[in-house]
Amino acid sequence: MVCLTPAAAALLLLVVVLAAAVSALPAINVTTMAFEDGYAPLFGHGNILRSADHRTVSLLLDRSTGSGFISSSMYQHGFFSASIKLPSDYTAGVVVAFYASNGDVFEKRHDELDFEFLGNIRGKPWRVQTNVYGNGSVGRGREERYVLPFDPTTEFHRYSILWTPAAVAFYVDDVPVREVRQSAAMGGDFPSKPMSVYATVWDASTWATAGGRYRVNYRYGPFVASFTDLALLGCRVDGPIQQTTAERCAAAAEALRASDVAVMTVEKQQAMRRFRERNMVYSYCYDTLRYPAAFPECDVVESERRRFKDTGHLRFALRRRMSPRRSHGRAASRDRVRELKKRAADM
């Protein structure tokens, strides 16, 4: 039996309490679906590979095309979620996106909620960008960018978008990383019209990595992004969108707003603050060169503002939290594609 001094016992108790606080957030439990129960191919059909049970979908980007899929219905508010594993090795210029949009229906006044995963040169981490557009407000992009506290290429991690009449929230695994609350000051900039859900992988060489300095190098392709644990929760809107949509979906929206995933508890707020302090590397709220007047939803924190340049970028780069990617990633990517194609052929 080990006897602890009072000081050591107090320290051990503190460690236990802190560990409990870190793991205090409940897991997000939602019903997942097979691909065809909620989605359909969008483009690059030959580069979309499904697992034998149709619950995992891999999107490929090669020299010929990227690929993507779209939800079979539009949704008036909802919770949209997928576990994603990103391409490894040299991924400069590659963008993987999981997002909600109605750009195909409302071309000049569309809404959009984005997770954009921005590839990088070998040895540099993937960066994750979130964005919120409302009513065609593309000239007022609300980008925030983060590095992740894990390697998103080695295993699946869940990324979720929550959209209610009151707020938009982005989750990484069970942790909220960003919340934008609706307000009268935001006006039409807050998304309000039914949206479809998309997943895509594509060549964004002109801007994605160092402003286009590093382009996609197809010698490292094909680039494979895999999606599983697909979840779509919300009021489905099928057929022509009518003025009664909001009224018909009001009850479902209120139920979603009151659900466990939507209630921003103190524990969630604390976890979100920790994530942002440790991982956020750009925020439009601190980009005074681009936006001299602060956005109404921005809660500018002076201690946080001092950490960012007037361009909105973090003054000091975050330390790398994962081991460097290895040069065998190209061969591993090709082996993974061969295995996925073999599984598809055996169906």
Side-chain angles (χ1 to χ4, degrees), residues 17-347:
V17 170
L18 290 176
V22 169
S23 59
L25 292 183
I28 297 175
N29 295 315
V30 293
T31 302
T32 61
M33 62 178 63
F35 176 77
E36 63 270 17
D37 290 339
Y39 288 96
L42 179 63
F43 70 99
H45 291 51
N47 277 4
I48 301 176
L49 304 177
R50 308 184 202 181
S51 62
D53 62 1
H54 291 245
R55 302 189 78 85
T56 300
V57 181
S58 293
L59 299 180
L60 279 63
L61 168 66
D62 57 23
R63 293 180 185 272
S64 63
T65 184
S67 51
F69 57 82
I70 183 174
S71 60
S72 304
S73 299
M74 299 183 79
Y75 290 82
Q76 180 68 42
H77 304 112
F79 180 79
F80 317 124
S81 186
S83 292
I84 306 171
K85 183 160 64 172
L86 299 174
S88 60
D89 202 40
Y90 187 97
T91 54
V94 177
V95 170
V96 176
F98 179 67
Y99 63 104
S101 176
N102 49 36
D104 292 339
V105 179
F106 304 100
E107 294 184 8
K108 297 185 183 297
R109 53 188 185 94
H110 87 282
D111 306 304
E112 189 167 314
L113 305 170
D114 298 328
F115 266 117
E116 289 182 315
F117 304 89
L118 310 178
N120 222 325
I121 60 176
R122 184 186 295 129
K124 299 292 185 180
W126 278 82
R127 294 150 300 146
V128 181
Q129 178 168 286
T130 61
N131 211 335
V132 176
Y133 295 118
N135 205 32
S137 60
V138 293
R140 299 184 297 278
R142 290 168 158 84
E143 301 101 324
E144 286 191 346
R145 197 170 295 163
Y146 328 91
V147 295
L148 296 168
F150 50 77
D151 186 342
T153 73
T154 58
E155 58 186 9
F156 286 94
H157 287 270
R158 177 172 287 280
Y159 304 89
S160 307
I161 300 170
L162 172 71
W163 172 42
T164 75
V168 170
F170 297 87
Y171 281 78
V172 175
D173 290 326
D174 300 322
V175 178
V177 302
R178 179 182 183 184
E179 183 184 36
V180 177
R181 300 198 64 80
Q182 189 275 345
S183 68
M186 283 191 72
D189 281 6
F190 189 83
S192 60
K193 299 182 291 296
M195 290 189 271
S196 299
V197 183
Y198 299 79
T200 58
V201 58
W202 54 290
D203 184 329
S205 290
T206 58
W207 65 271
T209 307
R213 179 180 176 187
Y214 299 100
R215 305 178 67 84
V216 174
N217 188 336
Y218 286 101
R219 290 186 303 153
Y220 295 93
F223 303 96
V224 184
S226 295
F227 297 74
T228 193
D229 296 334
L230 301 170
L232 292 170
L233 176 66
C235 183
R236 293 196 307 177
V237 179
D238 296 308
I241 298 174
Q242 301 177 1
Q243 295 296 325
T244 57
T245 294
E247 297 175 7
R248 184 175 62 82
C249 292
E254 187 56 35
L256 179 65
R257 181 176 174 176
S259 66
D260 290 341
V261 70
V263 175
M264 193 61 66
T265 63
V266 172
E267 291 76 16
K268 287 183 180 180
Q269 292 173 352
Q270 292 173 340
M272 180 166 61
R273 184 169 61 250
R274 286 193 297 268
F275 181 94
R276 294 169 67 82
E277 288 174 350
R278 298 170 182 173
N279 300 91
M280 188 167 70
V281 295
Y282 173 82
S283 173
Y284 72 108
C285 287
Y286 299 108
D287 192 344
T288 56
L289 291 184
R290 187 178 175 192
Y291 303 116
F295 283 73
E297 73 275 8
C298 287
D299 183 13
V300 175
V301 180
E302 182 59 27
S303 61
E304 190 173 72
R305 187 192 64 79
R306 290 195 295 267
R307 299 173 55 232
F308 289 83
K309 302 177 183 178
D310 52 7
T311 59
H313 292 277
L314 193 69
R315 291 180 179 274
F316 304 102
L318 295 175
R319 270 193 304 181
R320 185 170 173 77
R321 301 171 187 264
M322 59 193 83
S323 59
R325 298 188 181 110
R326 303 184 182 277
S327 59
H328 66 255
R330 187 192 322 176
S333 178
R334 290 173 180 168
D335 290 344
R336 186 177 169 196
V337 172
R338 281 196 290 269
E339 180 184 357
L340 291 168
K341 289 184 175 179
K342 183 179 183 301
R343 290 180 181 176
D346 291 340
M347 289 171 51

